[in-house]
């Protein structure tokens, strides 16, 4: 099994979750109120949450490799355009 | 210019708490108003200003220069982004120019609220329909901003780009416009059909209002000061733009106010609407529809410079001008 | 039926803000009241209603039909889940039937509060002891729900299932029952020993109350509308149940109210207690003790249908019935 | 060393943490206010946090393999009954 | 001792809600005030107490024994940690001794606020400058605590240890000291230049205050009770210290109050400042500068014992003593 | 690529982020309001967030191995002195 970690602006959360569901992932979890710093050096801080930009969100998906392959194009297309990071690692069910 | 107006403003609790927030950052304290408390305050302020505006609108009716004033406000929110865009193009690409331009065509509700409080101290009346003008200036600016992008940058990726439906949706149904207009309508309906409901809301939407504004401005001070660093990166051109554009827009606003024969109070609110820039609705829409633009440019200029400038110096300055050109009611 | 009552209710700020929340979802805006703000409002409402109920209870004393009324309320919270259960069994398994039944035996504090506000607009008195009835109807319904599961489904896994101790604990000491009863006792004690304390609390627990209720109902509107999707999955039977059961229970409640000779105000609150369903205390207990039940069934029916139905149509309808059967005090 | 990620309703948090402590884990971290979607298709949304159901919680435990084995039966028994996911991966101390 | 004072305090809403929080933990309910709500309340209380203190300070002026009283408060915040340190060294290492000592030299704003509410019920006046004393007692205690560590433990790692600059910064610019002093100055300026601003703040900083205090004390009760477990680990010595040190410090405070000729109200606040221990500013500073100390020792003793002791028994006890030694104003 | 997970008191967050930036990491994400239990058995609970101690923070860094090596000394030095945990695992970009 695989573990996918996605971090991007909460503004794109719906788009990303849609892609994840469309790929048939068995589930996902979302943590909001994430702050951080990315390529551009821009800091996403909690104090900007009230502004239109919002903070970041962290999405975790445990799924099999086939699902990863299926969601890859759509998710990567969103992240390339809007920003954010996505990493995959191995994970075994307890 | 009347320095007593400036002092009166500087020494109001609202502005002093704003400074307290600014200095908290400059002095390096760890004061913070953790999320989602700023959101609570900003929802509360929108709900309250909308509700009270609706109640006043019902009392004053839609006659007189109401429709003209609101129309003028909407026209300004269309024109401002257009001339801002061409000015900004001298320095920025299409995307950033359009996004910044949209922010300056739109408005800042907290600047408006601070101006209202300022009027209350001076015992100058203003009308509820100005809240409607406030609400109606957000969407056109957003649409103009996006139109400018569509016209000026034709070969954008279309697979991830939102279509027109989504853009109009974001322009008219983003949460702050929706809450403001919704509360306005509720205020209107309640004042009309159910006047005792107005009274029951009063302790919450009325009496508490100024204190919550102060608390929120403390946080705005923190945020504005945190943005100052970004500005150094953004450069002198944008800083100058963020200081001078409010003055220009306020000047045009004054001209329109005189032309329409607005009262002193309404004139100040009208000028403030023209002069202020958005840091909530517009960034939300731009982030979604023009991700090529760098948010730190449009957020920092509107929130880090134009907002503080307007609430600290702009409001008393505009009032001083009004007192020269518009006779007291 | 008196349509003016319906209109009066529909055009109250509370219900209008509820609709504002509903339409926020239906229109697809991104309006949200982020966590933990809804929790703040719900804790505040429980604390305030409890405190004020305690103060009024001390003023009115425990004489007259107080004990009878409270006993009748408790009896209803025992009986309602039983007949609900058998009705629901025709369509759902033991676990879901018991969980939904427990929700309908228990109460919704916000429905109660909305009914109280409605009474205030009509200038109809009600008594503080009704808050005690409110508090005492949560636990019995939970216990009956669990008893039904224990009796009807004997071969459940016992290793992870909570024992009776934990169940009773959850029934009597879940946080909303605890906060409500605790605040009620505090209100009673303060009113008795320290009347100036009541005054000092008033701006917080009293004057602010209605505004916070409106803010909270805005959020409840959002949540209720989000739940509507689940209902389509749940099917017509449950939707019908969630609409008709409140009517049946309110009818029985009216009968009891007439029999006990309750005043118009107390009768409305009594009917609302019978008609409303829980979405806080009961789901908390069911999630822990009957995890086999599908939360989206009991939450969606109580929160997505019964709650809106009661606050929008139920309250004025019940009032109209009361005005027919109970003479004004 | 191993890394264990657990995501389940915060209602079961105490039970799960108890099992983790009982297995002798050197520590754990908990993130609350997690939302998500699971097997049943049910969405746990932030807006339900005020209701009795509550949101989800994400627990991270860094521990050795033996501890994983010790906490496995109790944790799996809870998750099977109440829902939630648990995954194990490798992790090296920095 | 006057038992009616104890009862009057015990039966005030503030203390009753504190108990409600304590019993919520002892009975195992799942009542919680989720983060960041406690932060909201604590920011609100600091802002309000500071603002109101500043307003009163402006009204009463700086004459009379103001300067002497404030100086005495600062001296106490320097001396208390020194003798606490030597007492604690009999049982704890340098780091823990210094950290606990600093906590007891510093103050608890909520204890101060609770004492003020107690005075209001008794209709006893106190002065705004006591808030200045409150604000000025945090920093010296922190500095003394760190000096004790520097002097007594010379061979600490220096690579990660903050230098003196950072320490002074933390002592004088930690967020609670900053917010308190900032709001005090704002209150002073507004009362002087802009008296109508005081009125506009009143519904927020004034009328709401007591209710928010009660809500916050509900949470403090929960937190204090959660800390009780830690105390068993900490042992009898620390428990005894946390109960007796407030009495000793309050006694010394009473002596100073009599010597300086303070009014009954100011004397109570002065005693409470001496007797209370910090659980916000000092832990923040100690965590950063003396990480070798175990936070559960200094937090649990100040929050789990000294704080409840002071607000429940200390305040009426100190008042009873004052009534013996200081004639009513 | 590597994934670094750091959990420590939010009081040390600035120091840690400084070390991460100094090592040239391409970005990082921060989740606050984390609670937990560590070596000493001390529980960091949400209810203490209003106190001076604060809650914990969880920092995630996706970066290459060289960056890990560069940030290691400074980060470990902070964690040893103030407490907290740091673990490294493999992760592939999606
Ligand atoms: N290397 C990284 N490690 C962890 N989080 C990252 C990294 N790069 C970016 N992020 C997160 O992703 C968000 C968007 O990144 P970016 O699109 O690069 O601005 C940032 O605000 C961070 O929260
Ligand atoms: N495949 C998955 N990946 C990540 N999180 C999951 C996954 N499945 C379930 N979850 C989380 O675990 C919670 C309970 O899942 P379940 O018991 O399947 O309803 C969900 O609400 C999600 O937050
Ligand atoms: N083995 C562990 N697994 C996950 N988190 C841990 C572990 N040990 C410590 N932590 C986290 O790191 C914080 C500080 O740990 P410590 O320095 O050991 O007190 C704790 O409060 C936990 O949140
Ligand atoms: Na504008
Ligand atoms: Na019921
Ligand atoms: Na002290």
């Amino acid at each position: 099994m695989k573990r996918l970690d996605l971090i991007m602006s909460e503004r794109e959360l719906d788009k990303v979750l849609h892609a994840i569901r469309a790929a048939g992932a068995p589930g996902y979890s979302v943590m909001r109120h994430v702050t951080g710093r990315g390529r551009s050096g821009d800091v996403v801080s909690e104090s900007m949450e009230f502004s239109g930009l919002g903070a970041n969100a962290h999405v975790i998906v445990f799924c099999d490799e086939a699902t990863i392959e299926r969601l890859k194009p759509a998710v990567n297309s969103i992240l390339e355009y809007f920003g954010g990071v996505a990493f995959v690692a191995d994970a075994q069910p307890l | 210019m009347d320095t007593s107006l400036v002092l009166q403003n500087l020494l109001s609790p609202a502005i002093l708490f704003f400074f307290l927030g600014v200095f908290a950052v400059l002095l390096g304290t760890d004061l913070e108003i953790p999320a989602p408390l700023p959101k609570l305050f900003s929802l509360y302020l929108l709900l309250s200003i909308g509700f009270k505006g609706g109640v006043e609108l019902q009392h004053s009716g839609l006659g007189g220069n109401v429709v003209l004033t609101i129309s003028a406000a909407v026209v300004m929110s269309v024109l401002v982004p257009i001339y801002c865009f061409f000015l900004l193009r001298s320095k920025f690409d299409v995307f950033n120019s359009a996004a910044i331009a949209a922010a300056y065509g739109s408005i800042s509700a907290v600047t408006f609220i601070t101006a209202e409080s300022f009027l209350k101290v001076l015992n100058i009346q203003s009308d509820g329909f100005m809240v409607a003008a406030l609400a109606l200036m957000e969407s056109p600016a957003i649409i103009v901003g996006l139109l400018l992008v569509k016209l000026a940058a034709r070969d954008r990726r279309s697979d991830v780009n939102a279509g027109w439906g989504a853009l109009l949706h974001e322009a008219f149904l983003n949460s702050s416009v929706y809450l403001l207009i919704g509360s306005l309508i509720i205020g209107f309906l309640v004042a009309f059909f159910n006047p005792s409901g107005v009274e029951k809301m009063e302790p919450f939407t009325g009496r508490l209002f100024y204190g919550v504004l102060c608390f929120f401005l403390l946080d705005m001070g923190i945020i504005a000061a945190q943005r100052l660093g970004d500005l150094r990166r953004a450069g002198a051109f944008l800083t100058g733009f963020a200081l001078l554009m409010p003055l220009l827009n306020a000047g045009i606003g004054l001209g329109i106010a005189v032309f329409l024969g607005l009262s002193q109070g309404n004139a100040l609110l009208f000028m403030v609407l023209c002069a202020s820039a958005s840091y909530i609705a517009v960034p939300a829409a731009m982030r979604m529809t023009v991700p090529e633009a760098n948010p730190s440019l449009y957020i920092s200029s509107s929130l880090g410079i134009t907002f503080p400038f307007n609430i600290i110096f702009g409001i008393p300055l505009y009032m001083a001008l009004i007192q020269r050109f518009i006779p007291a009611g």
Side-chain angles (χ1 to χ4, degrees), chain A residues 31-42:
Chain A
M31 273 157 277
R32 287 177 55 185
H33 313 293
V34 177
T35 57
R37 195 168 187 273
R39 287 165 287 201
S40 56
D42 290 325

Side-chain angles (χ1 to χ4, degrees), chain A residues 1-2 4 25-30 59-63:
Chain A
M1 293 285 281
K2 294 285 174 188
L4 171 65
Y28 54 76
S29 294
V30 179
V59 180
I60 300 178
V61 188
F62 293 109
C63 60

Side-chain angles (χ1 to χ4, degrees), chain B residues 112-328:
Chain B
F112 181 89
I113 289 169
T114 311
E116 265 199 341
S117 301
F118 181 74
L119 287 175
K120 235 168 240 156
V121 174
L122 300 181
N123 259 317
I124 297 177
Q125 297 288 319
S126 65
D127 287 312
F129 64 77
M130 293 308 295
V131 177
L134 165 78
L136 295 174
M137 285 180 78
E138 301 245 37
S139 314
I142 291 171
I143 293 169
V144 172
L146 297 175
L147 267 177
L148 290 167
V149 169
K150 295 249 167 195
L151 293 174
R154 281 156 194 269
D155 51 348
R156 295 169 77 207
R157 277 176 60 186
S158 61
D159 53 336
V160 278
N161 264 312
W164 269 106
L167 305 190
L168 290 174
H169 187 276
E170 187 66 25
F172 288 107
L173 290 173
N174 76 64
S175 59
S176 42
V177 174
Y178 177 79
L179 181 56
L180 198 55
I181 296 192
S183 304
L184 189 99
I185 295 174
I186 291 179
F188 189 92
L189 291 174
V190 170
F192 195 82
F193 292 106
N194 204 345
S196 80
V198 175
E199 243 167 86
K200 280 161 77 187
M201 293 296 281
E202 221 283 314
F204 184 72
T205 53
R207 284 203 232 142
L208 222 55
F209 193 77
Y210 191 72
V212 176
L213 175 64
C214 290
F215 210 144
F216 188 52
L217 282 174
L218 172 63
D219 189 50
M220 295 290 288
I222 295 174
I223 294 171
Q226 285 170 342
R227 288 281 138 187
L228 287 180
D230 285 346
L231 277 169
R232 248 167 289 144
R233 283 200 270 157
F237 179 83
L238 190 57
T239 308
F241 177 89
L243 283 172
L244 297 176
M245 190 47 76
L247 288 176
L248 173 62
N249 292 341
I252 299 177
L254 177 60
I256 297 175
V258 171
F259 179 78
L260 293 177
L262 298 190
S263 70
Q264 285 196 341
N266 291 348
L268 181 70
L269 297 181
F270 193 85
M271 287 176 77
V272 158
L273 289 178
C274 296
S276 69
S278 168
Y279 43 76
I280 298 190
V282 171
M286 292 301 133
R287 162 88 216 183
M288 201 188 92
T289 54
V290 194
E292 297 91 341
N294 180 353
S296 77
L297 293 181
Y298 50 89
I299 284 271
S300 301
S301 53
S302 67
L303 197 49
I305 305 190
T306 303
F307 174 72
F309 173 78
N310 273 325
I311 63 164
I312 298 171
F313 302 109
I315 290 173
L317 174 66
Y318 309 154
M319 195 65 226
L321 289 173
I322 285 169
Q323 290 180 337
R324 274 188 109 128
F325 292 100
I326 298 179

Side-chain angles (χ1 to χ4, degrees), chain A residues 7-9 34-40 42 44 56 82-85:
Chain A
I7 305 172
M8 72 278 144
S9 167
V34 177
T35 57
R37 195 168 187 273
R39 287 165 287 201
S40 56
D42 290 325
V44 173
N56 289 338
F82 292 99
V85 289

Side-chain angles (χ1 to χ4, degrees), chain A residues 35-77:
Chain A
T35 57
R37 195 168 187 273
R39 287 165 287 201
S40 56
D42 290 325
V43 176
V44 173
S45 71
E46 207 176 343
S47 64
M48 288 309 294
E49 245 176 272
F50 89 98
S51 86
L53 294 182
N56 289 338
H58 178 191
V59 180
I60 300 178
V61 188
F62 293 109
C63 60
D64 55 22
E65 193 142 11
T67 310
I68 295 279
E69 290 308 320
R70 278 197 304 276
L71 58 76
K72 191 170 173 165
V75 169
N76 268 338
S77 156

